[in-house]
DNA sequence: GTTGACATCGCACAAATGGTCTGTTAACCT
DNA sequence: AGGTTAACAGACCATTTGTGCGATGTCAAC
């Protein structure tokens, strides 16, 4: 099915790539023609068909510049990027506000771009910058970026960002429901868990990732 | 210079973005026309001119689909992606091999894609998957991905991946040179530093990031 | 040498597509 | 009222551009 590329096909392929880097749109058949020193448009068309059969690109018929490269380099990395708004900081004692719809990154927030290999296509993500070392028992250091999926409840074992009415702070811990009490278990095994009444705990989000950039 | 966008201009702009996500090429004037429920191509042309004046996009005259978005959204995030090879695992007791030129991601390795906002344009990056909890004192959990910049020496305070001849293991610690001894200080302040002769320590890489995906 | 698949070539057609011209409407200013 | 301007509408034209088709060249198999 997938045989080797002729020198001309290779040239065409890399020309398309170059062209799309320079401009922002694909070349026409005639662009390729002159760029690859081919004497006829139909030759280009012929080879494009071949390349399409071999799975190197996709074409839309009757559409000018209807060429789309496919395969590793482009589609995977360039496409699946999620822009995540950094909604604020998380630190002991500070209130944490999580707006209703953090889906669409407003211009007003800082953002991080992550590839979907890390977010696994989850929706409703937002990020918090960790201030201070108060989350160190969750294996999160000062300056880390915590990626959260918006959530208002949690299942046992989830790592969550939760607001504690009692101590007036937001913290990152593993969540376990025990009757009408909630046990919040630090990630770090050398630290002790804390138990609080379920009514005094409100979950703000489920942690799906941590990013530390030094 | 840069005034506000009319609702129609906003719609056109986001339509272009959507369209380019779906297909791989920019829309035609008529695509925009029907997509944004405009009754005339001239209106689209008119607004595209405006948008161009305001610097939201670039157009090439007489060229079909000659539209290129500029500014934040596209060029910055979508372009600067680094594919980092995951060269193996790091775990107590296991040898760690760091090949000479990990720059070009071979097909043979798994890879992660990170945006340059996290890598800060550093070169010669590779990643290691952490196995086990032996790095927990460096605030690194089981399954985390450590991003490293290839290095064979370190400056005081750098977080490094180092091979210890004595205990036959690779570990992640902060590096401090004290005479002919090296002090390796865990990130976690509750843990004690260790000191070893400098000759028994060989630095393999400088940690530039940690990624935890749950 | 003949045959036939494969790649190429030149050309022309028609659809796709960008640009422009002429009005129209509504808001705004004097 | 009169004039100016931004935004829009509809029709029209010119070019760009994909595609079809027949002819030609190439090369290996028979």
């Amino acid at each position: 099915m997938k045989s080797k590329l002729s020198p001309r096909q290779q040239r065409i392929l890399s020309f398309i790539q170059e062209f799309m880097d320079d401009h922002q749109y694909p070349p026409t058949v005639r662009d390729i023609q002159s760029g690859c020193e081919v004497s006829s448009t139909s030759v280009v068309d012929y080879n494009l068909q071949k390349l399409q059969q071999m799975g190197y690109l996709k074409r839309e018929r009757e559409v000018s510049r209807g060429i789309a490269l496919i395969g590793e380099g482009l589609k995977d990395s360039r496409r699946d990027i999620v822009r995540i708004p950094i909604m604020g900081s998380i630190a002991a004692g500070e209130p944490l506000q999580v707006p209703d719809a953090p889906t669409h990154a407003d211009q007003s927030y800082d953002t991080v771009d992550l590839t979907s290999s890390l977010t696994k296509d989850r929706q409703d993500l937002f990020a918090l910058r960790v201030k201070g070392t108060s989350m160190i028992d969750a294996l999160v250091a000062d300056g880390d970026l915590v990626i959260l999926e918006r959530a208002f409840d949690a299942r046992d074992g989830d790592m969550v960002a939760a607001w504690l009415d009692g101590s007036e702070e937001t913290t990152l811990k593993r969540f376990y429901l025990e009757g009408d009490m909630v046990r919040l278990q630090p990630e770090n095994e050398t630290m002790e868990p804390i138990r609080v009444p379920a009514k005094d705990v409100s979950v703000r989000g489920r942690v799906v990732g941590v990013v530390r950039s030094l």
Side-chain angles (χ1 to χ4, degrees), chain A:
Chain A
M1 175 78 195
K2 206 171 209 177
S3 60
K4 287 198 180 58
L5 297 173
S6 80
R8 177 160 281 178
Q9 285 161 355
Q10 283 187 9
R11 187 164 178 190
I12 289 180
L13 215 49
S14 58
F15 175 79
I16 295 176
Q17 220 147 4
E18 242 179 84
F19 190 98
M20 293 194 64
D21 268 2
D22 283 354
H23 318 70
Q24 214 71 344
Y25 40 83
T28 67
V29 172
R30 285 170 176 75
D31 286 332
I32 300 174
Q33 179 193 357
S34 64
C36 296
E37 287 161 315
V38 180
S39 56
S40 169
T41 59
S42 55
V43 178
V44 177
D45 184 67
Y46 173 78
N47 282 292
L48 285 181
Q49 278 187 41
K50 287 290 172 188
L51 286 170
Q52 186 174 15
Q53 281 174 22
M54 291 187 276
Y56 286 97
L57 45 82
K58 198 166 60 83
R59 288 182 82 194
E60 200 128 347
R61 278 182 56 92
E62 318 262 303
V63 169
S64 71
R65 302 173 193 273
I67 302 176
L69 294 173
I70 46 184
E72 334 72 56
L74 226 86
K75 190 151 198 176
D76 291 353
S77 69
R78 217 156 281 224
R79 212 174 178 68
D80 302 335
I81 290 188
V82 188
R83 173 153 290 188
I84 298 173
I86 302 176
M87 315 253 19
S89 306
I90 180 172
E94 275 186 20
L96 167 62
Q97 39 175 321
V98 177
D100 280 341
T103 314
H104 280 299
D106 294 332
Q107 311 291 21
S108 41
Y109 290 103
D110 275 353
T111 57
V112 213
D113 295 321
L114 292 184
T115 52
S116 63
S117 56
L118 300 178
T119 64
K120 291 166 185 157
D121 297 323
R122 271 179 281 235
Q123 298 301 310
D124 256 359
L125 295 175
F126 62 98
L128 296 173
R129 176 78 62 187
V130 173
K131 286 235 189 299
T133 57
S134 63
M135 304 297 162
I136 205 168
D137 52 345
L139 292 183
V140 174
D142 185 25
D144 283 8
L145 212 51
V146 200
I147 315 297
L148 296 127
E149 181 179 25
R150 194 159 55 109
F152 300 106
D153 58 349
R155 282 168 303 184
D156 279 9
D158 280 351
M159 171 96 104
V160 298
W163 172 259
L164 303 183
D165 276 343
S167 50
E168 297 291 304
E169 63 178 16
T170 305
T171 184
L172 297 176
K173 298 266 194 316
R174 286 206 181 276
F175 177 99
Y176 294 95
L177 191 59
E178 299 180 333
D180 56 353
M181 297 288 279
V182 167
R183 173 165 56 95
L184 295 175
Q185 176 83 43
E187 183 73 19
N188 189 332
E189 291 175 8
T190 66
M191 315 288 284
E192 287 301 309
I194 60 177
R195 288 185 175 75
V196 290
K199 65 175 175 57
D200 292 343
V201 178
S202 57
V203 173
R204 299 302 167 88
R206 195 182 351 258
V207 176
V208 300
V210 178
V211 174
R212 185 177 308 153
S213 180
L214 281 61

